[in-house]
């Protein structure tokens, strides 16, 4: 079992261009606020319940096609994060639990979905590495338009980018929370370090 699926060319170039343009010009983009595992990355995050999906799409219309395709029907809370890396950026191996900021005992997500929006030509590094414990499962080379979905309890990281250009992905952690946990998580909120927002 590899614990992941990879769909090449899941989204067409015009859609990827739209997503790139909207994210790159967003006043929300800033040095990433995730945690110290994320080195040299930029982005922002959107926390939402399934009930707030219409609000997310209204605020970020470019996200609709991605969310329509990526979201699992059995999940009720989500953590959406545009993630931009440049030369020298990397993400240390970790297991996602971003909703811990709200519900401290939350389990890892059921799934994590990654859409590669921009991958510079000839990019060196930046591969997504998946492990279960000490067992290596996969090294995924980013390709624009590819959609990767992996089990949320897998350890994963992004290898150092060693070439020029910016690599942009859309990441969505997908959770199934119990009623008590869901009450602790905001129905809809935006996390950013941007001072202009």
């Amino acid at each position: 079992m590899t614990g992941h699926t990879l769909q090449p060319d899941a989204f067409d170039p015009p859609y990827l261009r739209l997503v790139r343009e909207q994210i790159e010009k967003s006043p929300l983009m800033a040095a990433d606020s995730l945690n110290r595992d994320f080195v040299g990355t930029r982005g922002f995050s959107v926390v939402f319940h399934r009930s707030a999906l219409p609000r997310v799409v209204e605020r970020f219309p470019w996200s609709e096609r991605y969310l329509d395709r990526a979201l699992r029907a059995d999940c009720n809370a989500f953590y959406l994060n545009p993630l931009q890396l440049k030369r020298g950026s990397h993400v240390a191996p970790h297991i996602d639990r971003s909703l811990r900021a709200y519900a401290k005992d939350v389990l890892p997500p059921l799934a994590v979905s990654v859409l590669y929006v921009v991958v510079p030509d000839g990019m060196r590094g930046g591969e997504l590495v998946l492990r279960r414990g000490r067992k290596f499962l996969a090294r995924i080379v980013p390709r624009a338009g590819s959609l990767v979905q992996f089990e949320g309890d897998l350890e994963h990281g992004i290898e150092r980018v060693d070439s020029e250009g910016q690599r942009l992905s859309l990441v969505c952690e997908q959770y199934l929370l119990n009623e008590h946990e869901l009450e602790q998580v905001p129905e809809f909120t935006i996390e950013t370090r941007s001072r202009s927002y």
Side-chain angles (χ1 to χ4, degrees), residues 160-175:
R160 177 187 166 95
V161 176
D162 289 322
S163 55
E164 297 300 324
Q166 296 184 334
R167 166 197 184 282
L168 178 65
S169 59
L170 266 182
V171 182
C172 189
E173 302 171 22
Q174 307 191 47
Y175 295 82

Side-chain angles (χ1 to χ4, degrees), residues 3 11-12 31 50 54 64 77 82-83 93 109 117 121 139 141 153 185 187:
F11 292 90
D12 56 83
R50 181 171 290 280
E64 184 171 17
L83 182 64
V117 179
D121 292 339
R139 176 177 278 105
V141 177
D153 62 350
V185 174
E187 185 179 14

Side-chain angles (χ1 to χ4, degrees), residues 42 83 179:
R42 298 181 75 240
L83 182 64
E179 185 175 343

Side-chain angles (χ1 to χ4, degrees), residues 9-123:
D9 302 316
F11 292 90
D12 56 83
Y15 176 67
L16 299 176
R17 281 195 297 272
L18 170 67
V19 173
R20 175 184 188 168
E21 290 166 2
Q22 294 301 307
I23 290 175
E24 288 185 346
K25 75 179 185 182
S26 172
L28 298 169
M29 285 294 281
D32 227 323
S33 58
L34 292 171
N35 60 52
R36 62 185 179 190
D37 292 333
F38 290 73
V39 177
T41 65
R42 298 181 75 240
F44 62 90
S45 302
V46 185
V47 176
F48 63 99
H49 295 191
R50 181 171 290 280
S51 59
L53 184 56
R55 292 175 65 189
V56 175
V57 170
E58 180 181 10
R59 177 69 175 80
F60 305 104
W62 49 264
S63 71
E64 184 171 17
R65 280 184 59 192
Y66 167 69
L67 295 174
D68 279 347
R69 182 154 187 176
L71 295 194
R72 289 174 49 145
D74 56 349
C75 293
N76 58 8
F78 307 92
Y79 192 92
L80 175 66
N81 174 232
L83 182 64
Q84 189 176 66
L85 287 79
K86 61 182 180 181
R87 185 176 190 137
S89 300
H90 66 278
V91 178
H94 65 284
I95 296 175
D96 286 329
R97 267 197 196 108
S98 297
L99 293 186
R100 260 189 320 197
Y102 306 100
K104 66 176 183 169
D105 297 323
V106 70
L107 295 174
L110 291 187
V112 178
S113 301
V114 180
L115 168 61
Y116 294 108
V117 179
V118 178
V119 179
D121 292 339
M123 187 183 74

